[in-house]
Amino acid sequence: MSVQERKQRERAERERLIVATARELAEQQGWDAVTTRRLAERIEYSQPVLYSHFRGKREIIGAVALEGAAEMAAAVRAAASSANSPRERVAALARAYLDFAARNPAVYDALFQLDGGLAFADEDTPEPLKDAFAALLESLGEVAGDGVHPGLFTEVFWASLHGLATLTRAGRLPPEDIEPRVELLVDRLAMV
């Protein structure tokens, strides 16, 4: 291995450490607790080293969001792949999405609530975000219905899931009613 390759590997490892530490701190104490000073202390590098990877907290949030988008896409695909019918796929997708949001609140915030400097629904949208949407579209497109654009249907279904996740987490909807909400969403919106 050349010196250059070793330096690149070490840089990538530091970057993963920064992102993992930011994510861990955000999940434990919220995003307000994530500061470059605190991250530098936790990873035992100086702030200039941290700034050599990320220009600031916004870029760190974006990196956490991209990592989370890949994880969410994998979770949704895994859930949908184990189902035997379109209805089961849509219900499994909805449960996996809501479960991901509940288990990873800081990551979910990085994806959909905070400014991570990422473009959505644009040609500059990073690939992990496009893939997360594609993971939803793969199952939802088949149930969009005649004359309904699959992408538009996926956006509306996703918006419904996001609303359920956000309102439940905020205590506006009782968490014990998640399953009846999923069933209603699948039966009435997806009509499968």
Side-chain angles (χ1 to χ4, degrees):
M1 172 182 302
S2 73
V3 171
Q4 179 71 16
E5 290 171 328
R6 182 182 52 79
K7 285 183 178 185
Q8 287 175 339
R9 188 187 74 228
E10 289 171 354
R11 180 171 176 74
E13 287 172 8
R14 269 193 315 272
E15 194 164 300
R16 281 191 295 276
L17 177 62
I18 293 165
V19 171
T21 304
R23 182 176 174 166
E24 178 184 319
L25 187 57
E27 291 292 0
Q28 291 170 353
Q29 299 177 31
W31 278 104
D32 287 342
V34 179
T35 63
T36 53
R37 169 179 263 149
R38 192 174 274 164
L39 283 174
E41 289 171 3
R42 284 202 176 198
I43 65 171
E44 298 179 345
Y45 283 100
S46 67
Q47 282 182 289
V49 169
L50 193 139
Y51 282 117
S52 75
H53 291 273
F54 299 98
R55 286 182 287 202
K57 183 176 176 177
R58 181 179 185 219
E59 284 189 5
I60 294 169
I61 290 169
V64 170
L66 293 176
E67 186 177 273
E71 291 171 12
M72 186 175 69
V76 165
R77 282 188 175 109
S81 71
S82 65
N84 296 318
S85 70
R87 186 191 191 293
E88 286 178 19
R89 271 189 294 286
V90 172
L93 172 150
R95 287 184 198 101
Y97 182 98
L98 294 171
D99 182 59
F100 179 87
R103 284 185 302 105
N104 303 284
V107 173
Y108 195 81
D109 283 349
L111 270 164
F112 301 119
Q113 306 287 12
L114 302 173
D115 179 10
L118 304 173
F120 282 79
D122 190 74
E123 59 188 52
D124 293 336
T125 300
E127 198 55 44
L129 298 179
K130 289 178 181 178
D131 188 54
F133 185 78
L136 298 173
L137 182 62
E138 288 163 11
S139 291
L140 295 171
E142 72 177 314
V143 299
D146 294 337
V148 177
H149 187 279
L152 185 61
F153 179 79
T154 300
E155 290 172 350
V156 171
F157 199 91
W158 170 33
S160 299
L161 290 174
H162 176 69
L164 290 174
T166 303
L167 291 170
T168 301
R169 186 166 149 217
R172 304 298 197 277
L173 296 174
E176 63 272 10
D177 290 333
I178 288 175
E179 189 56 32
R181 287 188 199 102
V182 167
E183 293 298 318
L184 184 61
L185 188 61
V186 170
D187 289 341
R188 302 300 172 142
L189 187 57
M191 298 198 304
V192 288

